[in-house]
Amino acid sequence: MERRNFIKQTAMAATGIAIFSSFQSLMKKEDIILGHNNKKYKLDTNWGKLDFNRYPVKDCHEMVQDSKGRILLLTNETKNNVIIYDQQGKLITTWGSEYPGAHGFTLFNENGQEVLFICDNTRHQVIKTTLDGRVLLTLDYPKETGEYTKPEEYVPTETAIAANGDIYVADGYGKDFIIQYNYKGEYIRHWGGKGPENKHLKNAHGICIDHRNKKHPLLIITSREQNAFKRFTLDGNYIDTIDLPGAWVCRPVIKGDYLYAAVLQSQNKLWKQSGFVTVLDKHNRVVSNIGGNAPIYENNKLNELFQTENVFQYPHDVLIDNDQNIYVAQWNSGHVYPYKLTPIA
């Protein structure tokens, strides 16, 4: 009898220690300062947490912020494809049940009206909607290019919208072409694709328009499996490559002078929850890795980047608000809601 009691008490104590240890581990994550130089942050893993039974998520793919300050999250959970938060992380509303492959999410101000572009991997389409989900335009697979014979070959992952309304679609999980349309959805041209030359792409996962030089806007396109961004003119001519050795970067997001990107994983630890967030300055040099190693350049060449703090699993996108807070959406990371990074003054 005494032995059974001893075993029971020992087991209870061990359970208590495990819970306390887990709590301590979480507290350590919340308390540590992440990042480098003038881009250091404190982590909040509870910012976007909701009642999972009522508002579930699968993969939290991407996030945007509208002119009212609301934060919109895109998930491939068809009970609520779009979850809309206020900046404190409180739920405002949800919508969407028709996007099983919801992946890319772009917001554009079209003559005073804000619209969304959703890339759906499963539907093999790009869908333009209002902020409350009303469909305005649907782009099917780009047979006009002559590169595709069926919808299944086309798996769009991201869009970027030019000031004149031109739509650029990155076929990041298909044939790696960039397809350009006018604002009506009429085909203009395409480029990229797989191949050995610099102009080619390998996993063209993300795309954005860089307006930091207002006289000469250009496209920055992810070539994720090459651990790089590539820069192109707006009509598709290759300019140069921004090498990010070791970093499987997702879409580039520009705020002010800086370029931010979620890094899905580290090359030295593939498919082992090894992601982080990277920040580049206006010269396209890495200045901070949030959850990763300090960036070091030797002979003007960047050393390999990798995760050092196990605070993220597979970051998939970042959003930066006007207070310079960063919100991080994650793929395949245990159905977690977005995290928030608050800058340290």
Side-chain angles (χ1 to χ4, degrees), residues 4-23:
R4 283 207 305 270
N5 283 340
F6 174 77
I7 292 171
K8 183 178 179 181
Q9 289 173 7
T10 301
M12 289 175 65
T15 301
I17 290 168
I19 292 171
F20 180 71
S21 175
S22 177
F23 175 75

Side-chain angles (χ1 to χ4, degrees), residues 3-4 16 35 86 93 113 144 171 183 217 252 265 274 286 303 334:
R3 183 172 181 272
R4 283 207 305 270
D86 67 16
T93 189
Q113 178 189 14
E144 307 95 327
D171 180 23
Y183 74 97
Q265 60 181 342
S274 59
V286 177
N303 287 352

Side-chain angles (χ1 to χ4, degrees), residues 1 6 29 44-45 152 207 212 279 283 325 341 344:
M1 187 69 176
F6 174 77
K29 282 186 183 181
D44 179 1
T45 60
E152 290 74 18
I207 183 170
R212 286 177 291 182
V279 185
H283 304 295
N325 299 300
L341 293 160
I344 302 300

Side-chain angles (χ1 to χ4, degrees), residues 50-58 73-84 91 93-99 337:
L50 300 173
D51 180 348
F52 190 84
N53 292 319
R54 295 180 65 191
Y55 308 107
V57 294
K58 286 185 180 176
L73 166 70
L74 184 70
T75 171
N76 51 1
E77 170 55 70
T78 53
K79 289 184 180 178
N80 39 231
N81 283 128
V82 175
I83 297 176
I84 304 178
L91 177 70
T93 189
T94 69
W95 59 262
S97 59
E98 63 268 46
Y99 303 111
Y337 295 91

